[in-house]
Amino acid sequence: MMTIGTILFTWAKGKLIGTDSQGNRYYTERRARTGHRQRRWVLYNGAVEASRVPAEWHAWLHYTVDEPLTPSSGKPWVKDHLPNFTGTAEAYLPPGHDRRGGVRPRATGDYEAWRP
């Protein structure tokens, strides 16, 4: 959720540069401050989660490129965006994790413990 300060700052000083496939809107300052580069920011459509920023907009937000890159969809290896599931029930838990029973398979014969 955006704060009232962010909404007012965006309304007063922001210039819309574009939107992404998730509806996030990307802004820059209308006029750069003397001696500084223009600020860039995103207003999220829904939950504020940094992992929802696509790679092409991430590069633009971090001043890696001057203009937003074109989306790289249409390639068979490009997957749809997935949010960061850390801390949720959908989070990845490797075998042996405490929340998966905490039981790991026994080590095979290729492991030898170090003894000083």
Side-chain angles (χ1 to χ4, degrees), residues 27-86:
Y27 291 88
T28 188
E29 284 182 309
R30 288 189 187 122
R31 283 175 278 173
R33 298 167 291 146
T34 306
H36 296 82
R37 57 186 174 187
Q38 288 179 308
R39 292 178 184 166
R40 297 174 178 179
W41 67 96
V42 59
L43 296 183
Y44 294 96
N45 180 22
V48 176
E49 173 58 50
S51 70
R52 293 182 55 217
V53 175
E56 59 270 9
W57 284 103
H58 181 274
W60 178 80
L61 279 172
H62 292 272
Y63 303 95
T64 304
V65 295
D66 293 330
E67 298 295 324
L69 302 172
T70 57
S72 56
S73 61
K75 308 264 192 290
W77 62 85
V78 177
K79 295 183 178 182
D80 290 333
H81 177 293
L82 292 175
N84 183 351
F85 291 121
T86 302

